Amino acid sequence: LLLLLLLLLLLLLPLPPLKTILKRPTTHSTSLISKSLIKLSDDVLVMYHLKSRERGEEYIAVCEEEEGLEKLLLNRETTSLEDVNVLTDLRQLHKSVLLETCKVRFSKDTIHTWVDRSILLILNPFKPLPSTYTPSVMSTIKTSVLSSLHSSKNISKTTPPHVFSISTTAFYACLNTSKNQSILISGESGSGKTVSTSLCLDNLIYLSSPPALNASSLTSRIKSVTKVLESYGNCRTVRNDNSSRFGKLICLSYAEGTITRSKIETYLLEKIRVLGGREEERNFNVFYEWCEYNKRDAGGYRILQ
């Protein structure tokens, strides 16, 4: 009974005052934006979202309740979350810390973040970012990747996180080692897989040596056939206006840095959608494109009727 009374008393004791927690000998003052609890299987951690008043930088700290924020801040490096290009560089690798880091970067239109040296996290910005995917960006990343390869440094430490960084690294790894390379693009519906695949193809075509006439025709056909596949395999769903309802494997063959052959395999096509689906969703795009063509050139939907 006495032990139960002691435990109850401990639970009812108030937390230390906020001003006491935030006092620390630093060169700049810090303010608390928010505080939340992280419940694990056996422990409860505290996540502090902080902001430097002088630098304007935001960062987060996670610690045990009894450890206190002051002790943790004295032993950690104050780094802006916006500047964290590699998530594994974070000292606190909790789910809430990772999500908060991505949230801060996303608010600054920084949608690419390295998870590790070969894993890239891309957030769908849901708006055009034309300056992010220009030929000048391709050229800059190409130079950065080549510099990293020559110095044998970790790509994620020297190359900015970008979808072009992944495809450029795979391209030169294929040329230098003569071994097959693969790029796996995965994610939920609407996360940007189709766009990322198209961007990878654009960059791989850009990286090819000055193509001959037949090679130029081949690269043009590669880009064109992906549009045809989208017509027959994409549709509008509740979550995505142009959702891919199939998977595809694109194989590119190179000879001396120039694309010589391309092969596209499709699988898992959602054929049941042809017969019916949810009322708020559409069938495959090709049917609506065909209807629009007949409406414009045949004077209505007489063919359908």
Side-chain angles (χ1 to χ4, degrees), residues 45-290:
L45 304 178
V46 185
M47 183 181 76
Y48 299 92
H49 186 174
L50 308 168
K51 183 175 183 179
S52 168
R53 292 196 185 98
E54 294 181 1
R55 301 180 183 178
E57 298 175 342
E58 295 185 13
Y59 55 95
I60 50 183
V62 177
C63 61
E64 297 179 0
E65 184 71 26
E66 62 271 13
E67 182 182 4
L69 183 62
E70 179 179 357
K71 180 180 177 181
L72 184 139
L73 290 179
L74 290 174
N75 296 321
R76 77 182 299 275
E77 183 178 348
T78 305
T79 305
S80 172
L81 293 182
E82 184 183 354
D83 298 329
V84 179
N85 287 332
V86 187
L87 291 180
T88 51
D89 287 347
L90 291 168
R91 294 192 179 186
Q92 307 293 326
L93 292 177
H94 296 287
K95 179 180 179 181
S96 298
V97 180
L98 301 177
L99 291 176
E100 187 67 20
T101 302
C102 294
K103 178 181 177 181
V104 171
R105 291 173 64 82
F106 182 82
S107 66
K108 306 294 184 181
D109 289 338
T110 308
I111 62 173
H112 299 86
T113 306
W114 288 114
V115 176
D116 203 348
R117 60 178 300 171
S118 60
I119 303 176
L120 180 69
L121 175 65
I122 307 175
L123 302 179
N124 191 338
F126 293 102
K127 64 180 181 181
L129 297 176
S131 61
T132 307
Y133 305 107
T134 61
S136 62
V137 175
M138 292 182 181
S139 177
T140 301
I141 290 179
K142 175 184 176 181
T143 303
S144 179
V145 170
L146 287 174
S147 176
S148 299
L149 293 175
H150 291 157
S151 60
S152 300
K153 293 182 179 179
N154 191 332
I155 296 294
S156 63
K157 301 297 183 182
T158 58
T159 306
H162 201 285
V163 65
F164 293 158
S165 300
I166 290 288
S167 53
T168 303
T169 303
F171 175 80
Y172 285 108
C174 181
L175 295 186
N176 296 337
T177 64
S178 297
K179 294 182 179 179
N180 295 332
Q181 305 293 317
S182 62
I183 302 175
L184 176 62
I185 301 176
S186 63
E188 295 185 355
S189 178
S191 59
K193 299 184 295 297
T194 301
V195 174
S196 296
T197 301
S198 178
L199 291 170
C200 280
L201 283 175
D202 290 342
N203 190 46
L204 290 172
I205 292 172
Y206 165 82
L207 293 170
S208 300
S209 300
L213 181 61
N214 58 340
S216 177
S217 175
L218 175 61
T219 56
S220 177
R221 281 180 286 168
I222 292 174
K223 298 179 68 174
S224 298
V225 75
T226 56
K227 298 296 183 182
V228 176
L229 289 176
E230 286 186 18
S231 291
Y232 283 90
N234 288 27
C235 67
R236 187 177 70 188
T237 64
V238 176
R239 302 183 60 183
N240 187 1
D241 285 343
N242 191 37
S243 177
S244 298
R245 311 313 299 170
F246 69 104
K248 62 176 176 283
L249 173 65
I250 304 175
C251 299
L252 300 178
S253 298
Y254 287 87
E256 299 180 355
T258 302
I259 298 177
T260 58
R261 187 168 64 93
S262 173
K263 179 181 178 182
I264 301 179
E265 296 183 9
T266 61
Y267 53 93
L268 298 177
L269 178 63
E270 193 181 54
K271 299 177 181 178
I272 190 65
R273 185 173 290 272
V274 176
L275 301 178
R278 300 171 62 175
E279 291 184 0
E280 59 270 30
E281 296 186 349
R282 300 204 319 180
N283 214 308
F284 292 112
N285 292 341
V286 64
F287 296 110
Y288 302 92
E289 293 167 355
W290 184 72

